Protein backbone atom coordinates (compact mmCIF):
# COMPACT_ATOMS: atom_id res chain seq x y z
CA UNK A 1 0.00 0.00 0.00
CA UNK A 2 2.77 2.40 0.92
CA UNK A 3 4.56 1.64 -2.35
CA UNK A 4 1.47 2.28 -4.46
CA UNK A 5 0.84 5.57 -2.65
CA UNK A 6 4.40 6.72 -3.32
CA UNK A 7 4.77 5.28 -6.83
CA UNK A 8 1.26 5.48 -8.22
CA UNK A 9 2.20 4.79 -11.85
CA UNK A 10 3.68 1.35 -11.14
CA UNK A 11 1.39 -1.52 -12.03
CA UNK A 12 1.58 -4.87 -10.29
CA UNK A 13 0.43 -8.10 -11.93
CA UNK A 14 0.13 -11.15 -9.67
CA UNK A 15 1.92 -14.35 -10.68
CA UNK A 16 -1.28 -16.19 -11.60
CA UNK A 17 -2.54 -13.38 -13.82
CA UNK A 18 0.82 -13.16 -15.57
CA UNK A 19 0.92 -16.94 -16.07
CA UNK A 20 -2.58 -16.99 -17.59
CA UNK A 21 -1.72 -14.14 -19.98
CA UNK A 22 1.72 -15.41 -20.99
CA UNK A 23 0.69 -19.07 -21.27
CA UNK A 24 -3.05 -19.13 -22.01
CA UNK A 25 -3.10 -22.85 -22.87
CA UNK A 26 -1.55 -23.96 -19.57
CA UNK A 27 -2.90 -24.00 -16.02
CA UNK A 28 -1.30 -21.15 -14.05
CA UNK A 29 0.55 -23.54 -11.73
CA UNK A 30 2.09 -25.38 -14.72
CA UNK A 31 3.35 -22.26 -16.51
CA UNK A 32 7.14 -22.15 -16.97
CA UNK A 33 7.77 -18.92 -15.10
CA UNK A 34 10.84 -19.87 -13.13
CA UNK A 35 13.93 -17.69 -13.38
CA UNK A 36 15.73 -20.20 -15.61
CA UNK A 37 12.68 -20.41 -17.91
CA UNK A 38 12.41 -16.63 -18.18
CA UNK A 39 16.05 -16.32 -19.17
CA UNK A 40 15.28 -18.53 -22.18
CA UNK A 41 11.80 -17.19 -22.94
CA UNK A 42 12.77 -13.51 -23.13
CA UNK A 43 14.56 -14.39 -26.37
CA UNK A 44 11.42 -16.03 -27.82
CA UNK A 45 9.52 -13.79 -30.27
CA UNK A 46 6.16 -15.52 -29.66
CA UNK A 47 6.48 -15.15 -25.91
CA UNK A 48 7.23 -11.44 -26.19
CA UNK A 49 4.31 -11.04 -28.61
CA UNK A 50 1.91 -12.56 -26.05
CA UNK A 51 3.15 -10.06 -23.47
CA UNK A 52 2.97 -7.03 -25.73
CA UNK A 53 -0.76 -6.27 -25.16
CA UNK A 54 -0.12 -6.38 -21.41
CA UNK A 55 2.44 -3.58 -21.65
CA UNK A 56 4.82 -5.50 -19.38
CA UNK A 57 8.31 -4.09 -19.30
CA UNK A 58 9.82 -5.84 -16.28
CA UNK A 59 9.46 -9.24 -14.69
CA UNK A 60 10.56 -9.30 -11.08
CA UNK A 61 11.45 -12.46 -9.19
CA UNK A 62 11.31 -12.11 -5.43
CA UNK A 63 12.26 -14.78 -2.94
CA UNK A 64 13.69 -15.10 0.49
CA UNK A 65 14.22 -17.11 3.59
CA UNK A 66 14.20 -16.71 7.32
CA UNK A 67 16.61 -18.51 9.61
CA UNK A 68 15.57 -18.96 13.22
CA UNK A 69 17.76 -19.88 16.17
CA UNK A 70 15.81 -20.75 19.32
CA UNK A 71 16.85 -20.57 22.97
CA UNK A 72 14.57 -21.80 25.77
CA UNK A 73 14.96 -21.57 29.55
CA UNK A 74 11.92 -22.84 31.46
CA UNK A 75 11.61 -24.40 34.90
CA UNK A 76 8.74 -25.47 37.05
CA UNK A 77 8.13 -26.32 40.68
CA UNK A 78 5.19 -27.89 42.34
CA UNK A 79 3.93 -29.29 45.58
CA UNK A 80 0.88 -30.93 47.02
CA UNK A 81 -1.58 -28.06 46.31
CA UNK A 82 0.23 -25.68 43.91
CA UNK A 83 2.62 -25.50 40.99
CA UNK A 84 4.06 -22.85 38.73
CA UNK A 85 6.51 -22.47 35.88
CA UNK A 86 8.80 -19.62 34.94
CA UNK A 87 11.20 -18.91 32.16
CA UNK A 88 11.77 -17.41 28.77
CA UNK A 89 12.21 -18.30 25.14
CA UNK A 90 13.97 -16.30 22.45
CA UNK A 91 14.00 -16.76 18.70
CA UNK A 92 16.75 -14.92 16.85
CA UNK A 93 15.53 -14.32 13.31
CA UNK A 94 17.43 -13.33 10.18
CA UNK A 95 15.47 -12.72 7.01
CA UNK A 96 16.99 -12.16 3.61
CA UNK A 97 14.87 -11.21 0.60
CA UNK A 98 16.24 -10.95 -2.93
CA UNK A 99 14.75 -9.51 -6.08
CA UNK A 100 15.91 -9.97 -9.65
CA UNK A 101 14.58 -7.57 -12.26
CA UNK A 102 14.43 -8.72 -15.89
CA UNK A 103 13.96 -6.03 -18.51
CA UNK A 104 11.88 -7.50 -21.35
CA UNK A 105 12.61 -4.60 -23.68
CA UNK A 106 16.38 -4.95 -23.35
CA UNK A 107 16.11 -8.73 -22.83
CA UNK A 108 18.52 -8.65 -19.94
CA UNK A 109 18.78 -8.82 -16.19
CA UNK A 110 18.51 -5.23 -15.04
CA UNK A 111 19.53 -5.51 -11.41
CA UNK A 112 19.65 -7.72 -8.33
CA UNK A 113 18.51 -6.26 -5.03
CA UNK A 114 18.94 -7.67 -1.54
CA UNK A 115 17.39 -6.77 1.76
CA UNK A 116 18.20 -8.18 5.17
CA UNK A 117 16.49 -7.80 8.53
CA UNK A 118 17.35 -9.19 11.95
CA UNK A 119 15.41 -9.31 15.17
CA UNK A 120 14.58 -11.33 18.24
CA UNK A 121 11.14 -12.59 19.20
CA UNK A 122 10.71 -13.43 22.84
CA UNK A 123 8.29 -14.64 25.46
CA UNK A 124 8.82 -14.68 29.22
CA UNK A 125 6.76 -15.16 32.28
CA UNK A 126 5.69 -16.80 35.46
CA UNK A 127 2.61 -18.88 34.77
CA UNK A 128 -0.15 -17.75 34.46
CA UNK A 129 1.35 -14.36 33.45
CA UNK A 130 3.18 -14.47 30.13
CA UNK A 131 4.33 -11.59 27.93
CA UNK A 132 6.20 -11.48 24.66
CA UNK A 133 7.04 -9.58 21.52
CA UNK A 134 7.46 -10.78 17.95
CA UNK A 135 10.25 -9.73 15.60
CA UNK A 136 8.65 -9.05 12.23
CA UNK A 137 11.80 -9.47 10.17
CA UNK A 138 9.89 -10.77 7.15
CA UNK A 139 7.67 -7.67 6.96
CA UNK A 140 10.64 -5.37 7.43
CA UNK A 141 12.74 -7.04 4.71
CA UNK A 142 9.80 -7.20 2.27
CA UNK A 143 8.90 -3.57 2.83
CA UNK A 144 12.52 -2.55 2.24
CA UNK A 145 12.93 -4.60 -0.96
CA UNK A 146 9.61 -3.28 -2.32
CA UNK A 147 10.64 0.33 -1.69
CA UNK A 148 14.07 -0.22 -3.26
CA UNK A 149 12.52 -1.98 -6.23
CA UNK A 150 10.03 0.83 -6.84
CA UNK A 151 12.83 3.40 -6.58
CA UNK A 152 14.97 1.44 -9.06
CA UNK A 153 12.16 1.31 -11.59
CA UNK A 154 11.46 5.02 -11.15
CA UNK A 155 15.17 5.80 -11.66
CA UNK A 156 15.24 3.75 -14.87
CA UNK A 157 12.11 5.52 -16.08
CA UNK A 158 13.61 8.95 -15.32
CA UNK A 159 16.86 8.07 -17.14
CA UNK A 160 14.97 6.89 -20.19
CA UNK A 161 12.80 10.01 -20.20
CA UNK A 162 15.95 12.16 -20.15
CA UNK A 163 17.41 10.44 -23.21
Amino acid sequence: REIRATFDDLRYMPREQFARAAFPTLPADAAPISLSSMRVLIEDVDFRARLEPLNVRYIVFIGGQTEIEAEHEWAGIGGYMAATAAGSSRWKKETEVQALVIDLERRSEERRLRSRAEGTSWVAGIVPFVIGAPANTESEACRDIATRLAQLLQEVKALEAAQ
Side-chain angles (χ1 to χ4, degrees):
R1 293 178 195 157
E2 297 168 13
I3 302 303
R4 288 188 183 188
T6 306
F7 305 100
D8 59 348
D9 61 338
L10 289 179
R11 186 173 50 95
Y12 166 76
M13 180 182 294
R15 178 190 184 279
E16 293 78 20
Q17 182 183 353
F18 175 79
R20 281 193 307 273
F23 305 97
T25 60
L26 294 175
D29 60 346
I33 57 174
S34 67
L35 177 57
S36 57
S37 296
M38 281 301 127
R39 286 182 171 143
V40 173
L41 287 170
I42 61 174
E43 298 299 328
D44 184 75
V45 174
D46 293 333
F47 174 72
R48 290 196 317 272
R50 283 194 304 270
L51 295 182
E52 198 168 306
L54 302 173
N55 196 25
V56 174
R57 169 76 188 268
Y58 300 100
I59 297 175
V60 180
F61 289 88
I62 299 175
Q65 67 182 27
T66 297
E67 293 183 10
I68 301 172
E69 182 181 315
E71 298 176 12
H72 309 287
E73 299 170 359
W74 288 89
I77 59 170
Y80 178 68
M81 296 293 288
T84 191
S88 67
S89 292
R90 288 177 297 287
W91 298 270
K92 294 179 183 176
K93 296 171 63 177
E94 287 186 19
T95 298
E96 182 173 278
V97 177
Q98 298 180 30
L100 173 66
V101 180
I102 294 180
D103 186 333
L104 291 176
E105 191 174 290
R106 294 182 183 167
R107 291 184 273 193
S108 65
E109 292 180 14
E110 185 69 30
R111 181 112 24 116
R112 287 183 184 265
L113 302 171
R114 284 199 168 105
S115 180
R116 197 176 179 95
E118 298 178 7
T120 302
S121 297
W122 61 271
V123 63
I126 299 175
V127 175
F129 306 104
V130 179
I131 60 169
N136 296 317
T137 58
E138 295 88 352
S139 296
E140 184 180 329
C142 287
R143 191 171 21 258
D144 179 59
I145 201 90
T147 300
R148 294 174 59 212
L149 178 60
Q151 289 170 342
L152 168 67
L153 296 177
Q154 290 288 47
E155 288 171 11
V156 170
K157 184 178 177 179
L159 285 172
E160 290 176 352
Q163 292 178 350

